[in-house]
C-alpha cells in the first residue's frame, strides 16, 4: 500500500579528509574487550530504561509485558485473519496495553467473536473489515496515480488506520487541502500533514583513530567508495547461509547502492574518526525492502559474534529472539546520533516513498531518529524487530527541536523501518544472533 513520502534516509555522509564539530554526533568510547561481554546486571541497560521512562512513561516491567502481549496478539491475529477474512478488522494494543480485536459484520462474525473472547481478548465492533479497508486503500492508490504532476508530488500516499477503522491521506503541508477534490470513496478519510523535508546532503567526518574490540548493534560505521562515504549505525549481528559472520543494516547506507562495485566498511572509533576496515557489503537491497548484509572480515569476525545492541559505548541489551510489528506495541531504537529513543508502532504493512525508492511491508513508530541513525536496531522488549530506514525529521539536529516542529505542523516525529523477519525471509539461511 502507498503511505507517507518520507524522503529522508538517515545516513550521514563522510569524507576521510574533513573534520566535523556538530553537537548532533554521538561520540564513541572504546568498546567492550571481549566478543561476548558479560551480561548486564539488570534485564535492561540503564540507557534503555531511561528512554522507556522518558518516552513511554513505562517501567521496565511494564515495557517488557506490553511487548510480550504484542507478540502474542500478532500470532492470534494471524490465525483469526486466516480463518475469518471477511470479518477480521484488525488487532492492536490500546495506550494502556490492552490487546483489542476488531470485528465487522460478515460471514463467521459470531464464530470469530467466540474465538477471540475464548482466547481472552476484548472485541471491538467496527464498521469495516480489514479486507474492505485494503480494497479502499487500493482504490486510493490508483486515484493518487492519476493526479496531475503538480499535485501528485504533494500527495504522499494513503494508509490504513487500524485503530480508527479508516483511511488516512497524507499530504505535504504546502498543499491547499480545501482545493483537493477527493473522490466519493475517500470522503470521510482523515487528512494528515507531512512535514516538508529539506536537503539530503551528507555531513563529513575525519580519518584516523584506534580500533575498539567488540562491535554491537547501534555502534557507528562508515561505508566508503571512491566517491565518498556514508556514516550509519550497525544493525543486528548474525550469520549468513554459509555460516559467515555478518551484520544486518540498511541498504541505503551503501555508497554503491545505485551502481556497481563493492563499498568498503570501516569502524568509526571516535569523534568522526575512521578506524580499521571491518568488512564489505555482500548484499544491498533498496527497492521494496531497505536492508544490507555486511560481510565481516575473518580477522574481525570475533568482534561481531555477540547478540548485543546498545547506545555506543554504553551497557548492552541482549537479543533473545525476533518479533513482528503490531500497532500499539512499544518499540525502542538504538543509533549513533540519538542513542535509545522509544515510541509506539502506529502503522504496519506500509509502503513509504523515500526519494526515488519505495519501501514496502514496513512499519512506522512515533520515534525521533536523525541522520546517522540509519541501519540501527529497533527492538520490542528484548527481541529484534526492525532496521531503521527513514525519518520525517532527519534534517533536524535535535529531537527536542523535532518534537516542536512536527507539533506545529500537526504531526509527530516518525521513524520508518523494515521488519527484521521480512529481511530474514528475503535471505534464506540468514539468522540474527540470539541468546
Amino acid at each position: 500500500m502507498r503511505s507517507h513520502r518520507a524522503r529522508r534516509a538517515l545516513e550521514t555522509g563522510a569524507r576521510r579528509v574533513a573534520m566535523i564539530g556538530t553537537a548532533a554526533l554521538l561520540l564513541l568510547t572504546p568498546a567492550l574487550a571481549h566478543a561476548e561481554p558479560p551480561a548486564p546486571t539488570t534485564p535492561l541497560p540503564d540507557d534503555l530504561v531511561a528512554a522507556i521512562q522518558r518516552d513511554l512513561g513505562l517501567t521496565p516491567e511494564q515495557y517488557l509485558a506490553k511487548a510480550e502481549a504484542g507478540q502474542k496478539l500478532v500470532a492470534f491475529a494471524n490465525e483469526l485473519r486466516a480463518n475469518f477474512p471477511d470479518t477480521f478488522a484488525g488487532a492492536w494494543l490500546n495506550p494502556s496495553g490492552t490487546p483489542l480485536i476488531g470485528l465487522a459484520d460478515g460471514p463467521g462474525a459470531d464464530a470469530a467473536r467466540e474465538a477471540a473472547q475464548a482466547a481472552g481478548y476484548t472485541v471491538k465492533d467496527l464498521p469495516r473489515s480489514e479486507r474492505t479497508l485494503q480494497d479502499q486503500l487500493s482504490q486510493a492508490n490508483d486515484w493518487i496515480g492519476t493526479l496531475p504532476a503538480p499535485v501528485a508530488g504533494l500527495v504522499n500516499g494513503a494508509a490504513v488506520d487500524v485503530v480508527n477503522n479508516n483511511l488516512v491521506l497524507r499530504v505535504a503541508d504546502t498543499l491547499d487541502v480545501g482545493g483537493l477534490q477527493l473522490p466519493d470513496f475517500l470522503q470521510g478519510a482523515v487528512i494528515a500533514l507531512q512535514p516538508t523535508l529539506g536537503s539530503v546532503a551528507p555531513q563529513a567526518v575525519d580519518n584516523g583513530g584506534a580500533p575498539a574490540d567488540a562491535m554491537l548493534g547501534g555502534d557507528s560505521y562508515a561505508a566508503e567508495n571512491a566517491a565518498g562515504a556514508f556514516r550509519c549505525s550497525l544493525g543486528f549481528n548474525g550469520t549468513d547461509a554459509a555460516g559467515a559472520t555478518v551484520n544486518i543494516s540498511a541498504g541505503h547506507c551503501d555508497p554503491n547502492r545505485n551502481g556497481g562495485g563493492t563499498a568498503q566498511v570501516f569502524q568509526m572509533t571516535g569523534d568522526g574518526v575512521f578506524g580499521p576496515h571491518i568488512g564489505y557489503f555482500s548484499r544491498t537491497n533498496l527497492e521494496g525492502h531497505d536492508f544490507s548484509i555486511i560481510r565481516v572480515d575473518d580477522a574481525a569476525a570475533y568482534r561481531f559474534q555477540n547478540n548485543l545492541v546498545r547506545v555506543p559505548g554504553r551497557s548492552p541489551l541482549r537479543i533473545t529472539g525476533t518479533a513482528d510489528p503490531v500497532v500499539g506495541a512499544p518499540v525502542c531504537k538504538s543509533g549513533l546520533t540519538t542513542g535509545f529513543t522509544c515510541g509506539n508502532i502506529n502503522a504496519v504493512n506500509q509502503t513509504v516513498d523515500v526519494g526515488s525508492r519505495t519501501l514496502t511491508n514496513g512499519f512506522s513508530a512515533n520515534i525521533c531518529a536523525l541522520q546517522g541513525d540509519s541501519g540501527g536496531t529497533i527492538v520490542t522488549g528484548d527481541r529484534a524487530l526492525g532496521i531503521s530506514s527513514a525519518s520525517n525529521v532527519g534534517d533536524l539536529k535535535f529531537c527536542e527541536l523535532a518534537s516542536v516542529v512536527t507539533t506545529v505542523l500537526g504531526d509527530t516525529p516518525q521513524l520508518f523501518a523494515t521488519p527484521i523477519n521480512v529481511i530474514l525471509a528475503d535471505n534464506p539461511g540468514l539468522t540474527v544472533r540470539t541468546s
Side-chain angles (χ1 to χ4, degrees):
M1 68 186 75
R2 297 190 69 80
S3 180
H4 319 342
R5 182 181 299 273
R7 295 192 235 158
R8 160 59 63 208
L10 297 174
E11 84 280 355
T12 49
R15 298 281 180 186
R16 303 190 74 179
V17 296
M19 294 291 294
I20 46 175
T22 171
L25 298 179
L26 183 65
L27 309 186
L28 299 182
T29 56
L32 301 174
H34 302 287
E36 191 69 43
T41 56
T42 57
L44 301 177
D46 291 343
D47 298 280
L48 179 54
V49 170
I52 290 167
Q53 294 172 336
R54 179 194 66 224
D55 299 337
L56 298 173
L58 299 177
T59 67
E61 294 76 17
Q62 290 170 330
Y63 165 73
L64 290 171
K66 193 172 180 181
E68 183 63 23
Q71 290 311 291
K72 291 180 179 178
L73 180 61
V74 168
F76 180 78
N78 288 339
E79 293 181 8
L80 205 65
R81 179 185 293 109
N83 293 327
F84 305 100
D86 294 316
T87 192
F88 178 73
W92 66 98
L93 297 176
N94 70 10
S96 68
T98 301
L100 300 175
I101 296 290
L103 295 178
D105 286 337
D110 291 340
R113 181 183 303 276
E114 199 173 303
Q117 292 176 340
Y121 290 107
T122 299
V123 174
K124 184 172 182 178
D125 293 320
L126 297 172
R128 287 170 286 193
S129 69
E130 183 182 73
R131 174 175 285 182
T132 297
L133 287 172
Q134 291 293 338
D135 288 344
Q136 291 180 338
L137 181 64
S138 179
Q139 293 180 61
N141 290 330
D142 291 342
W143 170 74
I144 291 171
T146 67
L147 293 174
V151 177
L154 299 175
V155 179
N156 302 323
V160 172
D161 179 355
V162 175
V163 175
N164 295 301
N165 198 235
N166 202 354
L167 293 187
V168 176
L169 187 67
R170 301 287 300 196
V171 301
D173 63 299
T174 54
L175 179 64
D176 180 3
V177 177
L180 182 64
Q181 298 301 312
L182 299 180
D184 290 343
F185 72 89
L186 279 178
Q187 298 301 322
V190 175
I191 303 295
L193 296 181
Q194 177 75 11
T196 300
L197 303 178
S199 170
V200 297
Q203 299 174 344
V205 297
D206 186 30
N207 180 34
D213 196 356
M215 300 292 289
L216 283 61
D219 283 351
S220 176
Y221 74 93
E224 184 182 54
N225 65 6
F230 289 137
R231 199 173 88 113
C232 282
S233 299
L234 288 172
F236 297 102
N237 290 330
T239 57
D240 64 15
T245 297
V246 300
N247 184 268
I248 305 166
S249 190
H252 70 266
C253 291
D254 181 356
N256 284 323
R257 56 187 186 241
N258 295 320
T262 300
Q264 303 301 308
V265 178
F266 296 84
Q267 179 186 352
M268 300 293 290
T269 58
D271 185 7
V273 178
F274 272 72
H277 186 276
I278 55 176
Y280 62 91
F281 289 97
S282 62
R283 186 181 179 196
T284 297
N285 193 85
L286 286 171
E287 193 61 33
H289 304 147
D290 179 11
F291 68 85
S292 63
I293 300 174
I294 299 172
R295 173 63 161 83
V296 178
D297 294 340
D298 290 343
Y302 75 96
R303 302 169 61 195
F304 290 80
Q305 291 170 355
N306 63 75
N307 64 322
L308 306 176
V309 304
R310 65 175 174 188
V311 172
R314 308 299 287 271
S315 58
L317 170 72
R318 291 182 178 272
I319 298 301
T320 63
T322 64
D324 293 308
V326 60
V327 170
V331 294
C332 297
K333 77 103 191 67
S334 175
L336 68 95
T337 304
T338 56
F340 278 122
T341 52
C342 302
N344 294 296
I345 296 174
N346 49 33
V348 298
N349 298 323
Q350 295 194 91
T351 295
V352 181
D353 291 332
V354 184
S356 61
R357 59 193 172 94
T358 300
L359 306 180
T360 60
N361 305 115
F363 66 92
S364 65
N366 58 334
I367 292 177
C368 178
L370 304 178
Q371 287 191 6
D373 289 330
S374 268
T377 62
I378 303 175
V379 301
T380 182
D382 55 8
R383 299 182 186 182
L385 183 69
I387 296 294
S388 297
S389 182
S391 170
N392 66 345
V393 294
D395 280 333
L396 303 178
K397 298 297 184 183
F398 304 99
C399 284
E400 293 81 1
L401 176 61
S403 295
V404 171
V405 170
T406 52
T407 297
V408 170
L409 294 172
D411 210 332
T412 60
Q414 296 290 318
L415 173 62
F416 304 95
T418 302
I420 191 65
N421 282 333
V422 167
I423 299 173
L424 298 183
D426 283 349
N427 297 272
L430 180 66
T431 62
V432 172
R433 290 187 180 273
T434 61
S435 57

